[in-house]
Amino acid sequence: MHKIFGEFQENLSDEQEFLILGFSPSSIPIQQRWRNNGLSADFVADYLTTFFPAIYEDPDPEGKRVEIKGAVSYIANELLENAMKFNDDNSSYPIKFGLHILDIASEITLVLLATNSVSQQSVHKFQSFIQELLESDLDELYIRQLEKSAEDETGGASGLGLLTMKNDYFAKLGWKFETVKQEPEVVTVTTMVQLKV
C-alpha cells in the first residue's frame, strides 16, 4: 500500500534544519507516555524558537516568536496524541515525530510529521474521515464533529484537532499510508502539517 491524501511532500530534504524524535511503543505504557506528549511538544516548540528571529524578519519579532511557538506546541501535541492513541497495539514499529524548517526563496515553511503504525481495521475508517475532511465545508464539519464528540462517551476519534489546525492556523494537511513490512504486515500512516510562518 502506498496512498497519499491531501498536501503531502515526500522526500523532504535533510540539507535544511530538522529534528526527529522516536518513541518505542513497547517501552512505556501509553498512559504514562500520554503525560509526556505536552512536554515533547513544548520541547519541539522551544527548539524551533532558537531559529527565530534569525531566519525571520518581522516588525514585532518577539510577538511573532510567541505566536509561532504557540502554534507549533499545539500542533505537535495534537500529532503526538493522535499517533499514540491510534498506534496499532500489536505492532512494535516505533512512533516517529519530526520537524523540518524549509526556507525556499526566503519563504519559511514549518513541516511537522508524526508516523505511527495503524491496524488494518482502522485504515479504511481513517481514510474515510480524511476524504470527508478534504471535501467538506470546514465550519459544517467542525459542528458535526463537535456534536459527535459530545455524544461519544468513549473519547474516540473526533478529528477536532485536525480541524483546528486547518481552521485556526491555516495549516495544510497531508497523509501517507504505506506498507513498511510484510509477514506480518505493518502499515504506517504519516500525518504531515505544513505551516507557513
Side-chain angles (χ1 to χ4, degrees):
M1 176 189 298
H2 184 94
K3 276 189 169 179
I4 302 283
F5 293 86
E7 300 184 59
F8 193 94
Q9 288 189 55
E10 292 195 89
N11 305 317
L12 288 172
S13 169
D14 58 3
E15 294 178 2
Q16 298 192 46
E17 292 296 331
F18 69 97
L19 173 72
I20 305 288
L21 301 174
F23 305 92
S24 171
S26 58
S27 64
I28 299 177
I30 190 92
Q31 286 77 18
Q32 275 183 280
R33 178 93 64 194
W34 194 263
R35 288 178 287 194
N36 294 336
N37 290 335
L39 291 173
S40 299
D42 288 343
F43 165 75
V44 169
D46 282 337
Y47 171 81
L48 174 70
T49 58
T50 62
F51 297 98
F52 291 87
I55 60 171
Y56 198 90
E57 293 180 20
D58 192 271
D60 178 17
E62 183 58 23
K64 191 69 177 176
R65 192 182 67 76
V66 169
E67 176 189 326
I68 291 169
K69 183 179 176 183
V72 168
S73 181
Y74 176 83
I75 292 168
N77 191 54
E78 286 295 322
L79 289 176
L80 283 166
E81 284 185 359
N82 286 344
M84 302 287 175
K85 187 175 182 180
F86 299 110
N87 189 56
D88 182 359
D89 292 336
N90 297 316
S91 171
S92 60
Y93 194 82
I95 295 168
K96 298 176 186 171
F97 179 85
L99 168 70
H100 291 255
I101 303 172
L102 305 181
D103 184 355
I104 300 171
S106 297
E107 203 170 67
I108 308 294
T109 301
L110 304 177
V111 181
L112 296 95
L113 327 115
T115 302
N116 60 282
S117 62
V118 61
S119 70
Q120 288 292 337
Q121 297 81 14
S122 302
V123 168
H124 181 71
K125 184 178 175 187
F126 191 29
Q127 289 179 349
S128 294
F129 175 74
I130 291 169
Q131 278 302 132
E132 186 179 10
L133 176 65
L134 294 174
E135 295 169 0
S136 296
D137 176 88
L138 279 183
D139 292 333
E140 289 175 15
L141 182 58
Y142 191 82
I143 298 295
R144 278 201 311 268
Q145 292 307 112
L146 269 178
E147 290 170 353
K148 273 187 190 175
S149 181
E151 295 168 2
D152 182 10
E153 295 177 4
T154 64
S158 68
L160 290 174
L162 296 170
L163 286 164
T164 300
M165 289 177 206
K166 279 187 78 80
N167 228 16
D168 294 4
Y169 299 108
F170 307 104
K172 294 180 182 177
L173 304 181
W175 294 265
K176 179 171 74 173
F177 290 82
E178 186 175 28
T179 300
V180 293
K181 186 182 169 199
Q182 303 284 352
E183 305 295 328
E185 184 178 33
V186 176
V187 176
T188 61
V189 58
T190 300
T191 303
M192 173 180 283
V193 179
Q194 297 179 61
L195 193 63
K196 286 208 183 302
V197 296

